[in-house]
Structures are given as C-alpha cells and as structure tokens.
Amino acid sequence: MIKANRLSPEQYQENFSDIHPPFETKDAAIVEANRCLFCYDAPCIKACPTSINVPKFIKQIVTDNVKGSAHTIFLSNIMGAGCSKVCPVEKLCEGSCVYNLMDEPPIPIAKLQRYSTEIAMKNKWQLFQRKETTGKKVAVIGAGPAGLSCAHMLSREGVDVTVFEKEKLGGGLMTYGIAAYKVTPQFCEDEVDYITSIGGISIKYEQELGRNITLQELREKFDAVFLGFGVGLARQLEIPGEEFEGVEDAISFIYNIRNKGFENVAVGDKVAVIGMGMTAIDAATQAKRLGAKEVTMLYRRTQEEMPCTQAELDIAKLDGCNVIWLTAPKEILGTEGKVTSLIAEVMELGEPDASGRRSPVPTDKQFILEVDMVIKAAGQMPYEYVVMKHQLENKNGKISVNNAATNLEGVFAGGDCVNGGKEVVDAVQAGKDGATSILEYIATNARMKS
Ligand code: SF4
C-alpha cells in the first residue's frame, strides 16, 4: 500500500543523515592531505571538468592555509562546496588519482575539498573582490549551478547580474533534484547565499521564462542574457498504465522529499524504479530509506552500459535495492485506478546505437512483477516548448551553441539546457564558459560603440 509516515522521526533522521561524513578533526584532514604526491601534470586536475588545482589546494591544507585552499577551489569552481558532496568523484578526480595504479586507496579529494570549503562558508570568508561596477547588466535565467557560476564570474568583473529563477529557492538541481542524504536543503540555501554575498547579484524568484518574463523583454533591458534553465520534464515510458495512481516520475518524487518533509512523502510497499542513472539511484535508495519494503530497479541494458557509477550502484545495493538487468517495462496493470503490477520484457543486446552502447532488443520473454508503485527515471527532456517558442536553434530541444553563444544576438546558454543533463560540476564549467563569452561580447560591443 502506498502511504506516508512509515517511520519514526528518529528513523528518518538516521536514514537521511550525511552519507559522506566530514573529517572529525583537522589532524585527520592533514594526515590524508600528506599522502598526496603533488604530482607534476596531475591527472586529478585534468579529470575535473572545472580544472580545480587539486595538488595546490591539498598542499595548502598541509600547511594549514585553509583560506588559501578554499580560494584555490572556489577560483575554479564557486560551487566547490556542493560539488564535494555530490560529484561522482570515483569517475572524476579520485578515479584518476595515481594511487589507483598502485592498488592503494586514492586521496580522498572530495573530503579534503569539503574540509576547506565548509570552513570558508561557515566563516563567511569573502575570498573574491568584486571589481568596480562597469554599468553593464546581464540577465541570467536559472539559479542552478550553471546560472550561479556564470553570475559569480560576471559579478567579479563588475557586471550587475539579475538572476530569474522559477522556483522559490536557488540551487537548481542541487536544491531540488539530489538525494537528501547527500546535501541538505539548509546547505543548499547557505551555498546560494555564500555565492551571492560577493554583491552585484540579485535573484528574482518565481520568475519563469515564457510565463512571467519574455526573452525579448530581457534582450531589450540587458546587455546580454545567459540561459541556464536546465532540463526538467521526465521522459515518459510510453506504455499502457502510466496514468494509474502510484506511477510517479523520479524528479517529482525527489523534489517532494526535499520540499514536503520525509514523513509526508508517500511510498509503496513494493516499488519498481525504471532506469539506472544517478536520478534512478537517488529515487530507489530514498524509497527504501522512506520505508518501502522492497525496491527493484529495472534496466534495459547490462551493468556494463549503466549510466550511474559503480559507487552509486553499491549504495543502492547496500540499501537493499534489487536490480534486474536486461529488462524493460511493457505495461503497468492496476485495479480501481491503482497500480498492482508491472509486466516486464526481457531484453538482449543488439548492435551499438548512436550513444555507442549496444542497444537493447526485446525478446519474446516477459514476466510479471507485483508492485504498488512505479517510479520513472528514464531520463529528462529539455524544455522544448521554451526553446521553440524563442526560436533558439536546437537539436531535439537542446540549445545549439558556439562558444556558449546561441543563434540569437546577445543570448548565451550553458549547462543541462545545452547538453541534455550532465553533472553539477559540468554545469558550473558551462556557466564559466558562458561568462567568458559574455564578457568578450560586451567588450567587443563597447569597442564598436567608441
Ligand atoms: Fe595527489 Fe592523487 Fe592528484 Fe597525484 S593524482 S596530485 S596523488 S590527488
């Protein structure tokens, strides 16, 4: 049966506590930092989409220069605190650490990054000086990682930035789309405040492009516009029975956990989660932690092709989630409007598709899974209607850009609305790239006018 309030407040607290706790002492951080070999041409820097100078910030921890260390991190990634909690480091910096080649545990880069950035945020250290105002104004759509990173870099250069955000809070995916045991709503709010404390950035909430603001109006009022509105709509399964009560998309499920309070989010006894990306894992593990008795993840390919990392899969397995590989949903069955079971189809792998992965091909075998809840996590779709409405050149709703510039004069874009959905750290870099192009554009326009 689908119901809320399955656990005691203490159990919710325990189930959703920080999954990667910080160092308990300064000495513990320094001991780990001292293991770093400070490699020349360090692979960990190259593996970071924002190119954080990892050996430098670790060396600064060794010498107890925490302020310098936080500055090194934030210089490359203003969301370095959040990224230290949500980045899939096993496939990025830590995955490339040379210690892996020696069969030894890699340097805990994320934990060290968290160490410095948390101290900086707690002490509200303002590590960047905003340049004198240039009188230039830029509108940013979306207060997520791409938008905030773009806004911060522009503000540092003396540009006045107005961010338009459709939700009530900033942070984007960090605030609304990530498992609550990785980042808390309070942390996300603190991070937004910390970023905007540089000054010159004002966020206007509950302002949505195409609803209460238009691109034309922004292009008239501002010197440039950056679009960083992400992706949002959950991909439908397009199978019979999706309308039954108990079928929910992973994004709104995770959103509700972040917004309504754990005890108010209903979950089934037997839950099926469709998909094997990070969002699917976050939905499955949280369903289990909300008190679901059985959670089964269905993926139409094999473990080799799964989009999530091994570490994420391990979390789901440790939480007791089952995984059925090579299986796709075929039909959802129900009685009295409520889900009762799922007909699943057994797949096999065929030729590689456009993604380079072998494509799943249905066999004639199928089976029935008894479930009372189905969570759809088969990917998200771009806000195609917004993109089309504003005549932005695009590929299947993903905005086409050239050095962050769109086909519209003075309009730039980056992050998930361009790439269709990647990591938070990729969006941060896209925001920086957008700011770089905008600064060049503004400077060129100023030269032409003089
Ligand atoms: Fe340090 Fe590992 Fe990076 Fe080398 S690869 S600098 S050991 S963190």
Side-chain angles (χ1 to χ4, degrees), residues 119-421:
I119 295 174
M121 275 176 60
K122 197 167 148 223
N123 289 291
K124 298 190 171 31
W125 285 337
Q126 191 45 256
L127 301 171
F128 300 94
Q129 193 68 40
R130 175 172 148 83
K131 287 185 186 162
E132 209 173 297
T133 182
T134 58
K136 298 295 176 193
K137 295 185 298 173
V138 171
V140 169
I141 308 293
L148 288 173
S149 136
C150 180
H152 191 267
M153 191 164 165
L154 290 171
S155 176
R156 264 159 45 194
E157 295 304 315
V159 174
D160 293 323
V161 185
T162 307
V163 183
F164 298 88
E165 167 56 48
K166 74 179 170 60
E167 301 291 346
K168 289 192 180 108
L169 294 170
L173 189 69
M174 286 285 284
T175 302
Y176 292 104
I178 286 182
Y181 53 75
K182 291 183 186 163
V183 278
T184 63
Q186 188 57 53
F187 169 83
C188 296
E189 220 173 313
D190 291 347
E191 187 170 47
V192 173
D193 290 347
Y194 184 67
I195 293 169
T196 53
S197 67
I198 188 173
I201 303 173
S202 105
I203 306 185
K204 293 187 183 305
Y205 292 103
E206 298 187 77
Q207 299 291 310
E208 188 174 352
L209 186 65
R211 188 167 61 87
N212 40 15
I213 36 168
T214 69
L215 192 51
Q216 190 174 347
E217 168 190 338
L218 297 178
R219 291 175 76 192
E220 283 163 13
K221 286 190 188 157
F222 292 86
D223 295 289
V225 180
F226 177 77
L227 305 174
F229 50 72
V231 283
L233 307 176
R235 206 173 285 286
Q236 298 303 306
L237 300 175
E238 287 169 12
I239 57 172
E242 270 187 272
E243 71 288 356
F244 284 127
E245 194 184 319
V247 181
E248 199 173 337
D249 75 73
I251 296 297
S252 46
F253 180 65
I254 295 171
Y255 182 96
N256 287 340
I257 295 172
R258 304 301 301 261
N259 281 288
K260 288 186 173 173
F262 306 128
E263 70 283 5
N264 296 318
V265 181
V267 71
D269 284 332
K270 294 183 172 189
V271 181
V273 177
I274 315 298
M276 195 49 78
M278 300 275 272
T279 306
I281 299 277
D282 281 1
T285 52
Q286 293 195 109
K288 201 81 191 7
R289 287 166 191 238
L290 283 174
K293 291 178 184 150
E294 219 176 279
V295 175
T296 306
M297 302 186 73
L298 270 59
Y299 182 53
R300 56 197 185 133
R301 292 181 164 103
T302 70
Q303 186 166 347
E304 227 164 272
E305 294 83 20
M306 66 180 183
C308 71
T309 63
Q310 183 60 44
E312 292 284 329
L313 178 64
D314 291 345
I315 295 173
K317 287 193 168 171
L318 279 173
D319 276 0
C321 302
N322 310 311
V323 180
I324 308 181
W325 306 103
L326 286 169
T327 303
K330 193 169 194 295
E331 185 175 352
I332 299 166
L333 305 177
T335 48
E336 295 172 7
K338 293 181 182 161
V339 176
T340 53
S341 55
L342 175 76
I343 302 180
E345 198 167 31
V346 177
M347 313 297 274
E348 60 187 16
L349 291 183
E351 294 302 310
D353 62 13
S355 72
R357 296 174 301 169
R358 290 178 67 194
S359 55
V361 182
T363 65
D364 56 4
K365 293 187 200 110
Q366 56 185 47
F367 60 93
I368 293 185
L369 208 60
E370 254 182 57
V371 290
D372 52 10
M373 185 176 192
V374 176
I375 301 179
K376 302 181 280 185
Q380 283 166 266
M381 293 192 300
Y383 290 113
E384 207 164 347
Y385 67 95
V386 177
V387 172
M388 299 299 185
K389 185 175 171 179
H390 295 95
Q391 277 106 44
L392 286 154
E393 261 175 29
N394 66 90
K395 285 192 196 100
N396 303 323
K398 291 184 271 183
I399 303 171
S400 305
V401 293
N402 183 5
N403 285 333
T406 70
N407 59 309
L408 303 180
E409 165 89 30
V411 180
F412 299 78
D416 289 357
C417 62
V418 169
N419 61 37

